[in-house]
């Protein structure tokens, strides 16, 4: 044991104070990073809250637009022209023929939120097309 | 006849009209609210970007110090 001790080799470090300072600075910066992480978590929580609030507002806007739509007078001003009537008649005939050929498909109700929104969008688009057609 | 019907004025009951105006006013308020929420979200995104940039700078600083320590320890005096 004593023989081993006499053979021990030491390495001199040129600037130990500088190394110690570097280590302390590193440790300070790591703690600073952790503090930043806390701040980021706070921002994330706030963002989540704001997104939820925005979603609620947009839903409210959607409800109010529907309310506005229903508050408008339900008067069909436009008269159907004879040509439009004929077109409608032929379309109905075609649809009836198709119904006779094919078994009746059950229209599925929209399952997810996105499906529901897509369904609403397609309905609005078809209404817009009807309006521009007139 | 049809053209006349298309251009015919539409009469709305005063009560209904007031109701419609009220809904429009509510809609305007909601839109303002939505806009300010969106602005806050944009601010948060900017703050987040800033935090990430600062994080990157700190990590670069730590890396530089680690390199210094590494150099000092790998090339000690008298070796």
């Amino acid at each position: 044991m004593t023989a081993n001790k006499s053979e021990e080799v030491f390495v001199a470090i040129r600037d130990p104070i500088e190394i110690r300072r570097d280590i302390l600075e590193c440790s300070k910066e790591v703690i600073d990073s952790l503090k930043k992480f806390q701040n980021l978590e706070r921002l994330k929580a706030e963002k989540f809250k704001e997104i939820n609030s925005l979603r609620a507002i947009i839903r409210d806007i959607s409800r109010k637009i529907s309310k506005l739509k229903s508050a408008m007078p339900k008067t069909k001003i436009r008269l159907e022209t004879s040509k439009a009537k004929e077109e409608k008649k032929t379309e109905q005939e075609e649809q009836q023929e198709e119904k006779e050929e094919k078994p009746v498909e059950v229209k599925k109700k929209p399952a997810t939120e996105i499906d529901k929104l897509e369904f609403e969008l397609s309905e609005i688009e078809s209404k817009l097309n009807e309006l521009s057609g007139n | 006849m049809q053209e006349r019907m298309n251009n015919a004025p539409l009469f709305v009951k005063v009560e209904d009209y007031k109701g419609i105006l009220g809904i429009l006013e509510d809609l305007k308020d909601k839109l303002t609210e939505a806009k300010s929420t969106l602005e806050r979200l944009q601010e948060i995104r900017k703050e987040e970007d800033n935090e990430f940039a600062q994080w990157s700078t700190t990590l670069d600083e730590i890396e530089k110090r680690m390199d210094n320590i590494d150099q000092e320890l790998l090339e000690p005096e008298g070796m």
Side-chain angles (χ1 to χ4, degrees), chain A residues 76-129:
Chain A
K76 200 175 182 183
I77 303 169
R78 288 181 178 85
L79 285 174
E80 273 187 313
T81 57
S82 55
K83 200 181 170 185
K85 270 183 187 171
E86 272 174 31
E87 278 175 10
K88 207 176 175 182
K89 209 176 178 182
T90 49
E91 263 180 37
Q92 278 176 342
E93 279 170 1
E94 278 172 16
Q95 279 177 351
Q96 206 158 2
E97 278 171 20
E98 276 178 22
K99 268 187 187 174
E100 283 167 9
E101 284 169 11
K102 287 180 190 174
V104 184
E105 284 178 34
V106 182
K107 210 173 181 183
K108 283 179 186 172
K109 278 187 177 177
T112 60
E113 181 93 356
I114 290 175
D115 287 341
K116 206 174 150 187
L117 291 173
E118 272 177 7
F119 181 73
E120 270 180 44
L121 262 181
S122 66
E123 277 203 331
I124 290 168
E125 271 168 13
S126 66
K127 277 180 189 170
L128 279 173
N129 281 338

Side-chain angles (χ1 to χ4, degrees), chain A residues 11-16 18-19 21-23 25-26 29-30 32-37 39-40 42-44 46-48 50-51 53-54 57-58 60-62 64-65 67-68 71-73 75-81 134, chain B residues 1-2 4-12 16 19-21 23-24 26-27 30-31 33-38 40-41 44-45 47-48 51-52 54-55 58-59 61-63 65-66 68-69 71-73 75-77 79:
Chain A
V11 178
I13 293 167
R14 259 176 301 184
D15 201 348
E18 192 59 35
I19 289 180
R21 184 177 291 133
D22 278 340
I23 291 170
E25 288 286 349
C26 276
E29 269 153 12
V30 166
D32 208 38
S33 283
L34 286 171
K35 243 169 76 183
K36 280 191 182 85
F37 185 76
N39 199 24
L40 213 63
R42 183 189 58 79
L43 283 175
K44 207 172 123 185
E46 200 180 338
K47 191 163 90 173
F48 185 72
E50 294 290 346
I51 286 173
S53 151
L54 186 64
I57 296 167
I58 288 172
D60 215 11
I61 288 174
S62 166
K64 286 201 187 301
I65 286 174
K67 210 173 156 188
L68 185 69
M72 293 299 245
T75 318
K76 200 175 182 183
I77 303 169
R78 288 181 178 85
L79 285 174
E80 273 187 313
T81 57
N134 283 333
Chain B
M1 175 68 176
Q2 195 204 346
R4 247 172 78 186
M5 286 294 279
N6 283 344
N7 297 328
L10 193 68
F11 292 96
V12 183
D16 293 345
I20 289 168
L21 288 187
I23 297 169
L24 273 175
D26 284 352
L27 267 169
K30 285 284 156 195
L31 275 174
E33 213 180 317
K35 268 184 168 180
S36 75
T37 310
L38 203 62
R40 178 65 198 131
L41 274 168
I44 291 172
R45 199 168 65 178
E47 277 181 55
E48 271 180 340
E51 288 287 331
F52 284 129
Q54 278 180 25
W55 230 349
T58 309
L59 286 179
E61 197 63 37
I62 292 172
E63 196 179 26
R65 289 189 189 280
M66 282 299 186
N68 280 345
I69 297 167
Q71 232 171 357
E72 286 283 335
L73 292 178
E75 294 164 21
E77 209 174 342
M79 289 287 275

